[in-house]
Amino acid sequence: MTASDEALLAGMAADDPDAAAVFVRRHQARVYGLALFVVGIPAVAEEVAQETFVRAWRHAGAFDPRRGRATTWLLAIARHAAIDVLRVRRDVPVDPLVMVETIADPDRLAERVATGTTVNAALAQVPREQATAVVLAAVFGLSGAEIAERTGVPLGTAKTRIRLGLRHLRDELTSRKEADTP
């Protein structure tokens, strides 16, 4: 189905399960990525993503395309759902830099935090345009076309910034890890 997001939301408002299924498949990676960025725990991020789509289904009729894009509306719901979870889970400290760390290598998150090596510090060494493109792609799940639109550059430039930014980030993290290894 190649229907627009607005048409899918209209279908969801009319209780069309097929429209909802297409909408969820289209946006599940972005919603999960944002939820993971905010809450920092994969299992909790999955719950937040599920709650996001339930809220979207429940409030699909309230979506107004004149106020913004469907993706923006949906990600706002995801952000609010994730923040709601954080408010309830006050016992779990959340460091925003820790979530950036997860982008590069979730399996070594604890190791990198323990040694003081953070992706944030590595991102600071990447040219600003490339770092912005990497974060928009990896954290917020934006496509190359969406990054190009948002940053006002041609599609090829956006894709190049993502690729070069990831390469710079990997090289910087590798060199930092090697420097920290005795």
Side-chain angles (χ1 to χ4, degrees):
M1 184 176 233
T2 60
S4 69
D5 288 339
E6 292 77 15
L8 293 173
L9 282 171
M12 287 171 61
D15 290 329
D16 178 359
D18 294 331
V22 171
F23 189 76
V24 168
R25 276 193 300 275
R26 185 177 290 175
H27 296 290
Q28 64 189 2
R30 285 186 188 154
V31 169
Y32 175 77
L34 177 60
L36 185 59
F37 177 77
V38 175
V39 299
I41 302 168
V44 175
E46 289 175 13
E47 292 174 14
V48 169
Q50 183 175 0
E51 175 63 21
T52 298
F53 288 110
V54 168
R55 289 181 187 183
W57 178 292
R58 196 176 308 135
H59 301 288
F63 172 72
D64 182 0
R66 294 173 295 176
R67 295 186 62 200
R69 296 176 41 203
T71 305
T72 305
W73 177 79
L74 180 65
L75 292 177
I77 292 172
R79 181 177 171 274
H80 291 289
I83 290 170
D84 290 347
V85 166
L86 290 179
R87 286 186 183 131
V88 171
R89 296 180 46 101
R90 293 259 180 213
D91 61 328
V92 179
V94 178
D95 180 356
L97 298 177
V98 171
M99 210 48 244
V100 174
E101 187 74 37
T102 304
I103 298 168
D105 190 349
D107 295 332
R108 294 195 211 157
L109 175 60
E111 175 187 328
R112 289 205 175 113
V113 170
T115 62
T117 303
T118 66
V119 171
N120 190 46
L123 273 172
Q125 302 304 312
V126 175
R128 185 174 182 89
E129 299 83 14
Q130 293 173 10
T132 300
V134 167
V135 170
L136 288 173
V139 176
F140 296 102
L142 297 183
S143 68
E146 290 168 324
I147 293 169
E149 179 183 322
R150 182 169 287 191
T151 59
V153 298
L155 176 59
T157 301
K159 289 181 176 182
T160 299
R161 286 180 178 174
I162 295 166
R163 182 176 42 79
L164 292 176
L166 287 171
R167 183 180 301 153
H168 281 117
L169 184 59
R170 182 192 66 220
D171 293 347
E172 183 66 29
L173 289 170
T174 301
S175 68
R176 287 172 179 266
K177 181 173 172 110
E178 290 169 356
D180 288 344
T181 305

